[in-house]
Amino acid sequence: MARLLPSRPGRAVGLVVLLFIVNGLANSVFTPFAPAILVERGVSPTWLGMMGAMVSVAYIGLASAWGHLADVLLGRGRALALAIGLAAGLLAAFALPLPLVGVGLTYMAFSTVYGLLFPLQDALAVNTLADPGRQYGQVRALQSGAFAVGSLLAGAIFERLGYGAAVPAFIVLAVPVIAVAVVIPDVGRAKLSDRGRGGAMREALAIQPRLPRVLLAIGLANVGVFAMLTFLPLLIDRLGGKSGDIGLAVGITAALEVAALPAVSRLLVRFGPRAVVTVGIALLAVVFAGFALAPSPGVVIAVAVLYGVAWSAMWAGSVTTISQLLPAALQGSGQGLLSLTTAGIASFVANVGGGLLWGGFGPMTLFGLAAGLAAVGAATAWWSLAPDGPRLGMAELPAA
């Protein structure tokens, strides 16, 4: 028999909070430094973008199967634990004295598998929290805070000792993530109907006809998000900035998420996901336009302040929207679809198209196009989301 949510919800919420914090710490000690580690091991900057695009393709292929594994077979917590366990093993292989091809392949495999656990942590959160709209942003802010603190500490340590400690630190921190994930009480497994042939993600799309339009809106906005993650350091450098300016721009966005995400939760309760997601995506359009027109690193850093607020509204509203559109037993696949749209499709478009635009036309064209796509995404979000969409209950999709 599948486990249902417990009679002690406070304990379950505490475990979810702990999961977000320890995963934020684990994420902080390797992924922010991965590009520098890869370059140090002989990977050219040109290939970094190509590797990011290939990871996106691999993620698109694997995310659907992993969502089905989580919702139908293993449960979300066990599927999350398996993902980070595999990621830790792949990172251990990455640390070996491999030839350059082996370095690239093991890193891409790690990035693909590690990305699978983030939608599952969101699924566990929205299924456990009594009021996801009010509470998810607060929990996600704790992860952003843990990530920011961990990155600062790791950066200071690596500056003195080198990057050799990055892989062991991740593996050590993966252990408590696994330990917490497997004991979080879960909802029942999804029992798919005949229309669900093809997996749990197809079932999710079949029972919620508005879902593709919602994903389209979020995907359009995230093309610019992933273009910014890849090309913002290059923009700052092109405008005459230094590594400190890059660190300040990144640090400001992470710090603002800590404050903005809880505020977004209150806005979700008052105005609903439709208004919050639409405004968040519209603000992202303004941010990308600001990057396109920025004359100096100082302006880029100032615009990054607005980015932290805009991203928080878009992301917390998106996760909450999925929790409203789909029943609890399909949240692993629903949040997986969200991640597939962003980290998969939007990331691929940003890395491949962004690289071509950057080399041929420059940052004004790249970020200007990203602003246009986000503006279309905001209009699509307003059209696709109901003003007050009801949450579907578990009874509408029986658990196994």
Side-chain angles (χ1 to χ4, degrees):
M1 294 293 292
R3 290 180 300 164
L4 299 178
L5 289 178
S7 57
R8 296 173 61 196
R11 173 179 177 272
V13 171
L15 289 171
V16 167
V17 169
L18 183 59
L19 174 68
F20 273 65
I21 292 173
V22 293
N23 191 32
L25 290 172
N27 193 30
S28 72
V29 298
F30 178 78
T31 54
F33 311 98
I37 294 172
L38 288 166
V39 170
E40 191 175 81
R41 296 191 65 179
V43 177
S44 70
T46 300
W47 271 99
L48 288 178
M50 293 301 299
M51 289 168 63
M54 287 186 279
V55 167
S56 300
V57 172
Y59 188 87
I60 291 169
L62 191 57
S64 177
W66 211 266
H68 183 87
L69 182 75
D71 281 339
V72 179
L73 299 176
L74 289 183
R76 297 105 204 140
R78 291 188 179 94
L80 189 158
L82 179 59
I84 194 169
L86 289 173
L90 288 165
L91 203 57
F94 169 82
L96 297 174
L98 300 173
L100 187 58
V101 172
V103 170
L105 290 175
T106 52
Y107 173 75
M108 288 189 293
F110 159 78
S111 295
T112 303
V113 173
Y114 186 47
L116 296 169
L117 69 87
F118 291 98
L120 295 178
Q121 72 166 16
D122 288 340
L124 287 168
V126 298
N127 282 345
T128 302
L129 300 173
D131 187 350
R134 185 187 300 271
Q135 297 171 304
Y136 172 80
Q138 300 172 23
V139 175
R140 184 61 176 78
L142 292 174
Q143 185 170 72
S144 295
F147 177 84
V149 172
S151 296
L152 288 171
L153 291 175
I157 293 171
F158 297 159
E159 187 172 343
R160 294 188 175 187
L161 303 179
Y163 291 119
V167 170
F170 179 91
I171 294 173
V172 168
L173 288 167
V175 174
V177 177
I178 294 171
V180 175
V182 296
V183 298
I184 293 178
D186 200 3
V187 300
R189 311 289 185 267
K191 182 177 180 181
L192 305 185
S193 63
D194 291 340
R195 65 189 174 189
R197 291 174 182 172
M201 281 193 175
R202 184 172 179 179
E203 176 84 0
L205 291 168
I207 68 171
Q208 183 48 261
R210 284 193 288 128
L211 186 56
R213 301 199 304 269
V214 173
L215 293 173
L216 173 62
I218 297 166
L220 289 169
N222 274 272
V223 171
V225 169
F226 283 91
M228 191 206 79
L229 292 175
T230 300
F231 296 103
L232 188 64
L234 301 182
L235 174 62
I236 292 174
D237 181 71
R238 184 173 181 141
L239 295 174
K242 303 184 184 304
S243 58
D245 297 314
I246 296 172
L248 183 57
V250 174
I252 282 176
T253 61
L256 278 169
E257 288 171 20
V258 177
L261 282 163
V264 168
S265 293
R266 292 191 290 272
L267 293 174
L268 283 166
V269 173
R270 182 170 182 179
F271 299 106
R274 184 194 198 191
V276 172
V277 172
T278 300
V279 171
I281 295 176
L283 287 176
L284 284 173
V286 175
V287 168
F288 302 146
F291 289 153
L293 300 173
S296 67
V299 174
V300 173
I301 293 169
V303 174
V305 172
L306 181 59
Y307 173 82
V309 176
W311 183 89
S312 297
M314 182 274 298
W315 187 252
S318 298
V319 171
T320 302
T321 295
I322 299 299
S323 76
Q324 291 182 336
L325 292 178
L326 293 172
L330 283 176
Q331 283 301 311
S333 294
Q335 301 298 338
L337 277 167
L338 177 61
S339 187
L340 186 153
T341 302
T342 57
I345 298 172
S347 175
F348 177 82
V349 172
N351 279 290
V352 175
L356 294 173
L357 289 172
W358 184 274
F361 300 96
M364 181 175 290
T365 301
L366 170 59
F367 286 111
L369 182 58
L373 291 175
V376 175
T380 304
W382 185 261
W383 167 58
S384 302
L385 293 170
D388 187 22
R391 177 179 172 83
L392 297 176
M394 287 179 58
E396 297 187 37
L397 189 72

